[in-house]
Amino acid sequence: MAVVSIPDPRWVDALSDVPGVELVEWDMKSPPPRSDIEVVVPPYMSSPKRLEHLAALPDLEAVQLVTAGYDHALPYLPDGVRLANGAGIHDTSTAELALALVLAAQRGIPDFARAQERGEWLRAAGRPSLADRRVLVVGYGSVGRAIVRRLQAFETDVTVVASRAREGDDLVERVHGIDELRALAPQAEILVLIVPLTDDTRGLVDAELLALLPEQALVVNVARGPVVDTDALVEACQAGRVRAALDVTDPEPLPEDHPLWSAPGVLISPHVGGASTAFEPRALDFLREQLGAHARGEGLTHVVHPR
């Protein structure tokens, strides 16, 4: 019987039918309730500091996240312990927010909301549509594919970039390599970022790349804040060169006096890409599959460390 810790009592009840698994409730706010836990599912959207308790588990084999991002867990992972991310759980929510940010920025929804508070009828014809725009999506994992699928429904011209070039699929004719990014940037009226934060992607969107984008291009970050050089983005937005729609920032949370808040053409949401009602049912379905596979000796899928 595989002993697995689950952070939420409701989730313990929902997953109680998984054969071969003994579930232990643990929110990781305190030391583990028992030492024989093999797999830990950390709580969603909690402080990474809670992961310090992993060191107290001598039988720990794996940590199963319910987030796509995993960089926050790596510093706390004991030697020899596998780390699997929640690939696919957030596809729907994050893709929805990415499209919402794009549409809101393109059609001027923030301006309309502010005008409504003033009781002002804005004359705002001619805002840029999403239709007919050239969109460059950087990151073509499961969330990237979900975003592309939705973008195509809006009659856009979509190009995708991943860590390496490869043949296309049912959505795109070709997947470009990251080494082609700067060559593709001058055509990107909308740049969508959905890459994991790694040494290679940290600061990927810097002053040089921003300068290559067309005038008034929209930078949409639903990845991680440090993927974008914040100082360079602030400067480009203040100069009116580009616009931005950001669900993630660097630093985060963004301090109340940070210049991003007031930079022209910037729309900010507080890192809520995956946090909708679509999260929980997809997380439970995902965990049911993962924990069942572990109990059967098949191992977890989506292992991101060690590779």
Side-chain angles (χ1 to χ4, degrees):
M1 188 73 72
V3 181
V4 178
S5 75
I6 300 292
D8 188 310
R10 295 178 303 108
W11 288 23
V12 171
D13 290 340
L15 297 169
S16 61
D17 59 341
V18 179
V21 172
E22 180 183 356
L23 301 180
V24 177
E25 182 186 339
W26 183 35
D27 62 9
M28 304 189 74
K29 291 181 180 178
S30 56
R34 49 196 282 185
S35 63
D36 59 346
I37 296 173
E38 297 176 19
V39 179
V40 169
V41 179
Y44 178 53
M45 295 183 73
S46 64
S47 169
K49 290 283 287 182
R50 295 191 195 183
L51 297 174
E52 290 179 339
H53 291 303
L54 295 175
L57 293 171
D59 297 330
L60 184 64
E61 297 178 11
V63 175
Q64 173 62 67
L65 302 175
V66 289
T67 57
Y70 56 87
D71 51 283
H72 64 284
L74 290 174
Y76 303 96
L77 197 68
D79 290 342
V81 173
R82 300 187 306 280
L83 178 67
N85 74 340
I89 294 175
H90 298 287
D91 294 5
T92 297
S93 287
T94 304
E96 280 184 354
L97 186 66
L99 264 292
L101 289 171
V102 170
L103 286 166
Q106 289 294 98
R107 299 304 299 268
I109 303 302
D111 293 337
F112 301 156
R114 286 188 287 265
Q116 180 176 345
E117 293 177 350
R118 301 190 300 266
E120 178 186 355
W121 187 273
L122 282 185
R123 303 297 179 184
R127 294 283 309 202
S129 66
L130 174 53
D132 307 326
R133 300 284 74 80
R134 297 185 301 273
V135 186
L136 180 59
V137 177
V138 182
Y140 198 55
S142 60
V143 182
R145 280 179 49 83
I147 292 172
V148 169
R149 187 177 294 112
R150 287 158 175 78
L151 283 169
Q152 290 177 336
F154 283 85
E155 303 176 40
T156 57
D157 179 4
V158 182
T159 302
V160 302
V161 166
S163 57
R164 58 178 179 81
R166 58 182 186 267
E167 293 295 319
D169 53 21
D170 58 315
L171 295 179
V172 297
E173 292 184 3
R174 181 188 174 196
V175 178
H176 296 265
I178 196 68
D179 57 320
E180 301 175 73
L181 178 58
R182 277 167 166 68
L184 295 168
Q187 302 302 314
E189 296 170 289
I190 300 173
L191 175 67
V192 180
L193 305 167
I194 184 59
V195 292
L197 180 61
T198 66
D199 290 341
D200 291 332
T201 62
R202 185 178 296 273
L204 178 68
V205 180
D206 55 13
E208 180 183 346
L209 183 64
L210 291 169
L212 291 171
L213 295 172
E215 288 284 335
Q216 285 295 293
L218 176 66
V219 177
V220 182
N221 191 1
V222 288
R224 286 290 184 266
V227 171
V228 177
D229 181 327
T230 299
D231 292 341
L233 181 63
V234 168
E235 183 177 348
C237 290
Q238 288 177 337
R241 273 270 307 123
V242 302
R243 298 169 295 132
L246 312 170
D247 185 48
V248 290
T249 60
D250 182 26
E252 190 175 299
L254 199 63
E256 63 180 16
D257 60 348
H258 197 281
L260 260 181
W261 287 119
S262 57
V266 175
L267 171 61
I268 299 172
S269 59
H271 201 155
V272 292
S276 78
T277 55
F279 164 70
E280 186 167 299
R282 287 158 179 78
L284 290 172
D285 288 345
F286 178 85
L287 289 174
R288 186 171 287 106
E289 293 181 6
Q290 289 285 82
L291 299 182
H294 175 79
R296 293 189 299 270
E298 299 169 7
L300 302 176
T301 58
H302 311 294
V303 173
V304 293
H305 183 85
R307 290 188 179 276

